[in-house]
Amino acid sequence: MWEIIRQIFPYAIAFTIPLLITALGGLFSERSGVVNIGLEGLMVVGFFAAALTIYKLEPVMSNAVLRVILGLLAAVIAGVIFSLLHAVASIHMKANQVISGTAINMMAGAVTVYLARNITGSGNIHIEAGVPRKDVSFLGLVKIPVLGPLFFRQTYFTTWIVIAILLASWFILYKTSFGLRLRACGEHPHAAESAGINVYRMRYFGVLVSGAFAALGGAIIMVTYSGEFSGTVSGLGFLALAALIFGQWKPLGVLGASFFFGFASTIANVSQAVPALMAIPPILLKTFPYIVTLVALVLFSKSSQAPKASGIPF
Amino acid sequence: MKRGINSELVKALAAVFLGLVAGALLMVVIGKNPITGYISLFRGGLMNAERIGNTLATATPLILTGLSVAFAFKTGLFNIGASGQMLIGGLCATAIGLSFSWPRPLLLLAIVVGATVSGAVWGIIPGLLKARFNVNEVVSTIMMNWIAYWSVYYIVPSNFKGEYLETESARLPEVASLKAPWLTRLFAGSYINLGLFLAIIAVVIIAFLLDKTTLGYELKAVGFNRHASEYAGISVNRNVILSMMIAGALAGLAGATFYTGYASNMQIGVLPSQGYDGIAVALLGSNSPWGVFIAAIFFGLLHSGKGFMNAITKIPPDISDTIIAIIIYFTATSLLIERFWNRFKKKKGGNA
Amino acid sequence: MPNQYKEQEDYIVKKGRKTMFMLLAALMTAFLLAGCTAGGGAKFKVGMVTDAGTIDDKSFNQGTWEGVVRATEELGIENNYIKPAGTTEADYLKEIGNLYDAGYKLIVAPGFKFETAIFHAQSKYEDAKFVIIDGSPHAGDYNVVVGKNTVSIFFAEEQSGFLAGVATALQLKEGDLGFIGGMKVPAVQKFNWGFQQGVAYANNNFGTNMTIKAENVIYEGSFDNVAAGQQLAAQMYDRGVKAIFAAAGGVGIGAITEAKVRASAGEEVWVVGVDVDQYAEGIYTEGKSAILTSAMKGIEQAAYDMVIAEKDGKFPGGQILTFNAKNNGVGIPRENPNLSDEVEEKVAQVFKDMQDGKIAVSDEQGSLIE
């Protein structure tokens, strides 16, 4: 059993990271008071922007890692721009945020494939090299018993970027006055405004960060396990939304929820190839993450920590 | 009241108009003529009896999923799980259709009732979780979608497999199909089926339920202001459960019309897109039953005309998906349109 | 509401109005300019309806389309493809009708899912010609009826898989091999069974020592779960599998990605591609690819041939054609930079024996691993 866990851990983490960063983006948006159901679409935008950038750089730039970094940056920028659509609609125009998010999702899928086909001649964009996978030999971390082989073996550098963002987010939200103000906009915007906070500006910040993070999530899919843009992230954005709620709108909760999804899906995916797991009916393994989420929500939702003003136009 | 409906209608029409304008611009950008584009789009959906039939057949499940989403919206709930409810409804309908050899009227009744009930069960679970445990229905319905997806994925091949293929159910016998020979003939061999009438009946019933019954009043009250309703002695929990149950039932019925009417077997590994399209339909129809009906027909027209547009003009079908997305976006940002409309009316009032 | 917001909104409204006028003006211009596009000639037009998946799937949709494009461009006639909204018979038949009504009288449909739709289409549109690939028309009862205006094309995937299996075994000599399939559909299964037979043939006749364990033969269950492709491939490579035959669309892309990462780090792992020559997909650094070879089927050629045949008035209507080794319809790529010359020579000999009927490959499971 240890052998199996040790073996699949790097892949479970690889699957977790895009979910985590996207859910974290959703967290900023909802904490500021805007529901962002368009995470799925924003992920697709990042997926596309990274693929296109790296693809275009391949003939002119030989440094693969630099290409990847530029691809990630392009994705973040594209995500911010695309999320402006949602921000303008839901903040300035007081739109129904669910509707606007749905429109973002629909638009992203159609527009990116269309652009891909017109720019590269194919709706699928293929890149040569993504992020290399390495053991973390720094301080001998990979040699730590148990934890070393689980967390520091065969990692992508994008994983560490996301972990750093997670820690920074936690710090900003809970340890700075800025974070306090942001959260106030999602709880009591009117009180926040009387306290002199620019609610609009805070909410713009929240939504744009969600765009940047979700797009980064999509880009990480591209440079780690996918290697090819295909026009869809197959519901991962919605899963991130679920992880956000499952994680009770808290950075560490979101980390736990995303990791649970990542691990459970990986187990379900590889179950057919692992003799020890073959005895379990696949239908149980495949539905396991979803059923457990429902059960967990039943246990934790009574004392829900949802931002009170989330989804309500100010 | 009257004024409210009018402004809703204006908003919807303006959104459609802006969506079509944006689509036209996209066509111009890629060097295509938008007039021939739109003409072929509409001809593709309406040119002859067969095409009209197919447009209606495409719209049929959309009417029901749109109604499902709209109904939950009325109670302040977001049913993103119409796809899963539709799958389970379809699974139940297919199971009944393949398992029993009853006389046709009885069999069809069983299929329709079975699909509706199983959809209701799939919908009531998130409703219960919401009412009893305050579980966010957006997440729980997404989870239910995937549970439905994987259930169908494994149940169909192991119990209802066709002769050769592992990936789809056996074909339904004609006696178990909602396609009626007279209707198919009337529309020159199209895929229109009895589901359309079921959908229309559902629209009538839901419209009646919402506008003329106490239950409908209570459901809307809960959606309008939860706390005030509680204060007024309305059981919020009961209404939440009922709302999700009825929403699920409608989507389940959509499953029957789709899998035993439009299609004639079930394929595994496909989450029906009609569930998500239902959201768009409900939004454009401003959540009113007849609005949903019209919006569904309109989307049915876009969906069934875009292939012909593509064939005639080579305008890629992605454009019509973009048009739909833009329409939805403008529906959401109706503030702009509303201000326009109010100003327009004010001016008119001033002149008179 | 505070005044400043109201002002802002008024501004938006004003600006919105202005933008809209501009949109309208642009539209009018467009309408005026329109109407001067030239109509098509009297020649026939070739259309295609895609199966589930996109035109860029690097598999049968793309292969078919490339064949259509090559032929139509040579002949200077029009082509077009449509992607249906769903995967039901109704969705397919609707798009066939759209192409027909738009004047496309030769319609190509790749995939067994078109079987019932083509069955209806061939009698409904008698003056059109149909090509169905990987399937043959029937009413849902598997009583095949190939109309006079229809050609049904099959490929001997098992032969293609066999050759790839022989090549892989010869090149790697000893160790474990694996297979990842998408859904359990006939074409994928035949690839799998052929591959296993090919490996066994090499073991028996060329003294190689390759094994395929049951746990390393897997159908992922979809054609698009990229993450699962990567994870399954990783499982197998960690267990010592040297090469994986991936006949799984997007799932295979995930497997290739994993192989590329490992190969860049110096591990010796391979993927055997499917349908088309996937060598380019596997390139991870200057001129090095993780694709050992590919089990190809000549979809592009088949589609091309049918268009040309129609042009020459030799459309083989009513027939079921099988593209196999005999007519060069299946095989491995002409150039395989990762195979040694000696291996290529031996595979060429096996291919010749297959053409001469000296080697028979079964397209059924028999005693093979499912």
Side-chain angles (χ1 to χ4, degrees), chain C residues 24-237:
Chain C
L24 280 176
L27 200 62
M28 299 288 261
T29 333
F31 282 10
L32 291 174
L33 289 174
C36 25
T37 33
K43 297 172 184 168
F44 70 104
K45 303 198 273 184
V46 186
M48 170 185 154
V49 185
T50 65
D51 190 359
T54 61
I55 196 78
D56 323 294
D57 62 357
K58 309 217 165 59
S59 174
F60 55 78
N61 282 325
Q62 186 171 354
T64 309
W65 179 237
E66 281 171 359
V68 169
V69 170
R70 180 156 68 97
T72 47
E73 280 177 358
E74 265 176 35
L75 300 175
I77 55 180
E78 254 191 85
N79 61 39
N80 198 358
Y81 73 88
I82 302 193
K83 183 172 160 44
T87 54
T88 63
E89 176 193 302
D91 295 317
Y92 291 145
L93 204 52
K94 249 187 339 200
E95 302 309 349
I96 291 171
N98 282 331
L99 284 170
Y100 178 86
D101 286 347
Y104 291 84
K105 294 291 155 68
L106 175 60
I107 295 171
V108 188
F112 67 89
K113 285 186 175 172
F114 284 98
E115 288 180 338
T116 58
I118 293 290
F119 174 83
H120 293 297
Q122 64 190 8
S123 50
K124 193 171 174 184
Y125 308 112
E126 278 182 328
D127 61 331
K129 305 271 172 61
F130 298 95
V131 177
I132 173 167
I133 293 173
D134 274 359
S136 46
H138 60 76
D141 51 9
Y142 296 95
N143 286 327
V144 172
V145 182
V146 184
K148 284 198 304 287
N149 51 344
T150 301
V151 175
S152 159
I153 295 177
F154 285 96
F155 290 89
E157 285 93 358
E158 68 281 0
Q159 293 183 343
S160 186
F162 186 96
L163 290 165
V166 171
T168 309
L170 282 170
Q171 183 67 32
L172 303 179
K173 297 192 178 64
E174 61 182 333
D176 276 340
L177 295 175
F179 170 82
I180 298 177
M183 289 173 119
K184 270 186 205 169
V185 296
V188 174
Q189 289 173 310
K190 288 197 290 183
F191 269 125
N192 173 18
W193 298 329
F195 186 72
Q196 293 182 40
Q197 293 172 64
V199 172
Y201 180 87
N203 285 345
N204 294 336
N205 295 281
F206 299 121
T208 61
N209 188 17
M210 303 297 303
T211 45
I212 302 179
K213 295 186 182 132
E215 74 229 39
N216 290 332
V217 176
I218 286 168
Y219 291 90
E220 196 281 325
S222 79
F223 286 107
D224 57 8
N225 191 344
V226 186
Q230 185 210 26
Q231 293 157 358
L232 286 170
Q235 274 288 326
M236 291 188 191
Y237 289 139

Side-chain angles (χ1 to χ4, degrees), chain B residues 191-261:
Chain B
Y191 283 81
I192 191 169
N193 57 75
L194 299 174
L196 179 65
F197 301 108
L198 294 172
I200 293 173
I201 294 169
V203 171
V204 172
I205 292 177
I206 296 297
F208 178 80
L209 189 127
L210 282 174
D211 290 338
K212 307 278 184 211
T213 66
T214 337
L215 174 65
Y217 172 76
E218 286 192 7
L219 287 167
K220 283 189 290 187
V222 170
F224 194 69
N225 189 331
R226 194 158 290 198
H227 298 291
S229 327
E230 192 108 50
Y231 203 67
I234 298 172
S235 162
V236 170
N237 282 352
R238 179 173 157 269
N239 279 295
V240 163
I241 297 170
L242 267 178
S243 175
M244 280 307 292
M245 185 187 89
I246 294 171
L250 289 165
L253 182 58
T257 68
F258 184 73
Y259 292 105
T260 67

Side-chain angles (χ1 to χ4, degrees), chain B residues 17-18 21 24-25 28 31 33-35 44 47-48 50-51 54 58 149 153 162-168 171 188-189 191 258 262-264 267-270 273 303-304 306-308 310-312 314 317 335-336 339-340 343 347, chain C residues 6 9-10 12-13 17 20 23-24 26-27 30-31 34-35 78-83 85 87-91 93-95 97-99 101-102 104 112-113 116 120 124-125 139-142 183-186 189 220-222 370:
Chain B
F17 176 73
L18 290 175
V21 170
L25 278 180
V28 172
N33 179 347
I35 295 185
M47 194 160 55
N48 52 37
E50 187 192 355
R51 286 179 182 272
N54 280 335
T58 312
Y149 174 93
Y153 193 95
E163 221 172 318
Y164 289 106
L165 292 171
E166 302 270 352
T167 53
E168 56 188 54
R171 209 178 158 84
Y191 283 81
F258 184 73
Y262 187 76
S264 30
Q267 297 174 350
I268 66 170
V270 185
S273 60
H303 278 308
S304 83
K306 67 184 178 186
F308 188 66
N310 186 356
I312 291 277
K314 296 199 180 178
L335 183 84
L336 202 149
R339 295 215 140 224
F340 250 144
R343 188 170 295 193
K347 242 184 221 165
Chain C
K6 195 162 171 336
E9 264 159 26
D10 283 347
I12 290 173
V13 171
R17 189 190 280 163
M20 210 154 91
L23 294 189
L24 280 176
L27 200 62
F31 282 10
E78 254 191 85
N79 61 39
N80 198 358
Y81 73 88
I82 302 193
K83 183 172 160 44
T87 54
T88 63
E89 176 193 302
D91 295 317
L93 204 52
K94 249 187 339 200
E95 302 309 349
N98 282 331
L99 284 170
D101 286 347
Y104 291 84
F112 67 89
K113 285 186 175 172
T116 58
H120 293 297
K124 193 171 174 184
Y125 308 112
D141 51 9
Y142 296 95
M183 289 173 119
K184 270 186 205 169
V185 296
Q189 289 173 310
E220 196 281 325
S222 79
E370 193 193 7

Side-chain angles (χ1 to χ4, degrees), chain C residues 258-275:
Chain C
E258 179 66 16
K260 280 161 67 176
V261 169
R262 286 178 184 243
S264 323
E267 270 184 70
E268 202 210 344
V269 293
W270 302 100
V271 170
V272 176
V274 79
D275 285 344

